[in-house]
């Protein structure tokens, strides 16, 4: 049982990060679906490593530089995986009129104007929010990074349970993505996020959960209207939006 769960965790880690998987890990579509239970735990890993970079950098560098290095560390760890999804979703939703047009644009490897704007605004917003949090409490930045990376992946992965996966097999660009989720997998996913938030000591945890639930519903309404469900790019975009929302909430309660 432990070996099976460890195999699933390494699949999740290998799927969302550039950290190499052990050679003995077995990967297939069924295991990828099951690995969705550990997507939030991967967020804890990524956020924790970013927080470590921030903590070490603040010993010798200004906080603003430390935050930038932490962001760069996150991009290097994930290969910009979620940022790519945000850019593709922005291009598709902004440039397509019909559902098929949107899906075709989202699968195009080229980045358009909407995608570039979304990336610039997202990265700038992330830097500003974390910098403002640091003005109140430098250590709170570390908790924010872990919580933001964890809960954003929890919310994104939870869409797999309730929403319909939209196929576009004729497109030139293809990204593997989990397409189903059992109640057990959803439960483990949610428990990971709740425990991480509780252990972080961030104030108003219940309020943050309610805010994220409301944001999730708004995003779902938008996705259903735009393409009728979700794609891998949409999950990446969700992760980015929710991560920013976590930082914004933490900043607001710190004021």
């Amino acid at each position: 049982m432990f070996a099976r769960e460890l195999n699933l965790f390494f699949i999740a880690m290998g799927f969302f990060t550039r950290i190499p998987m052990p050679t003995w890990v077995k990967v297939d579509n069924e295991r990828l679906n099951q690995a969705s239970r550990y997507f939030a735990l991967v967020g804890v890993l990524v956020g924790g490593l970013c927080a470590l970079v921030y903590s070490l950098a603040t010993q010798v560098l200004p906080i603003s530089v430390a935050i930038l290095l932490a962001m760069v560390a996150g991009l290097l760890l994930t290969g910009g995986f979620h940022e790519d999804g945000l850019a593709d979703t922005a291009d598709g939703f902004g440039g397509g009129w019909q559902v098929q047009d949107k899906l075709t644009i989202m699968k195009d490897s080229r980045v358009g104007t909407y995608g570039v704007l979304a990336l610039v605004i997202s990265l700038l917003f992330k830097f500003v929010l974390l910098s403002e949090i640091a003005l109140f409490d430098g250590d709170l930045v570390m908790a924010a990074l872990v919580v933001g990376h964890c809960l954003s992946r929890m919310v994104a992965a939870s869409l797999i349970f309730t929403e319909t996966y939209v196929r576009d097999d004729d497109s030139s660009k293809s990204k593997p993505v989990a397409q189903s989720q059992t109640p057990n997998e959803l439960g483990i996913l949610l428990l990971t996020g709740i425990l991480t938030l509780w252990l972080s000591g961030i104030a108003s945890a219940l309020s943050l959960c309610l805010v994220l639930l409301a944001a999730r519903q708004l995003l779902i309404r938008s996705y259903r209207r735009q393409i009728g469900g979700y794609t891998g790019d949409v999950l990446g975009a969700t992760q980015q939006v929710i991560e920013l929302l976590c930082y914004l909430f933490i900043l607001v309660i710190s004021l």
Side-chain angles (χ1 to χ4, degrees), residues 147-157 238-240 242-243 246:
V147 168
H149 279 280
C150 174
L151 296 188
S152 60
R153 286 166 175 79
M154 179 194 75
V155 173
T238 301
Q239 187 278 322
Q240 289 290 288
I242 297 299
E243 184 184 346
C246 286

Side-chain angles (χ1 to χ4, degrees), residues 70-176:
M71 291 173 57
V72 171
L75 291 171
L76 292 176
L77 282 169
T78 63
F81 187 80
H82 304 291
E83 287 78 7
D84 180 62
L86 174 65
D88 287 341
T89 300
D91 279 334
F93 287 8
W97 290 96
Q98 304 298 324
V99 171
Q100 188 57 44
D101 295 334
K102 297 176 190 293
L103 293 174
T104 299
I105 293 173
M106 290 165 67
K107 295 297 183 179
D108 195 321
S109 59
R110 294 168 295 182
V111 180
T113 302
Y114 292 106
V116 171
L117 290 174
L119 285 175
V120 170
I121 293 173
S122 175
L123 292 172
L124 180 60
F125 199 19
K126 190 178 300 184
F127 176 77
V128 171
L129 289 174
L130 291 173
S131 297
E132 291 295 321
I133 292 173
L135 292 178
F136 295 95
D137 186 350
D139 291 338
L140 186 57
V141 173
M142 293 187 287
L145 285 167
V146 175
V147 168
H149 279 280
C150 174
L151 296 188
S152 60
R153 286 166 175 79
M154 179 194 75
V155 173
S158 72
L159 298 185
I160 301 170
F161 185 76
T162 60
E163 302 309 299
T164 302
Y165 177 66
V166 181
R167 297 179 179 273
D168 187 28
D169 298 330
D170 295 330
S171 57
S172 60
K173 181 182 176 185
S174 178
K175 295 179 182 178

Side-chain angles (χ1 to χ4, degrees), residues 147 151 191-203 205-206 209:
V147 168
L151 296 188
L191 181 61
T192 303
I194 292 171
L195 286 176
T196 300
L197 180 57
W198 178 60
L199 293 173
S200 72
I202 289 178
L206 179 58
C209 290

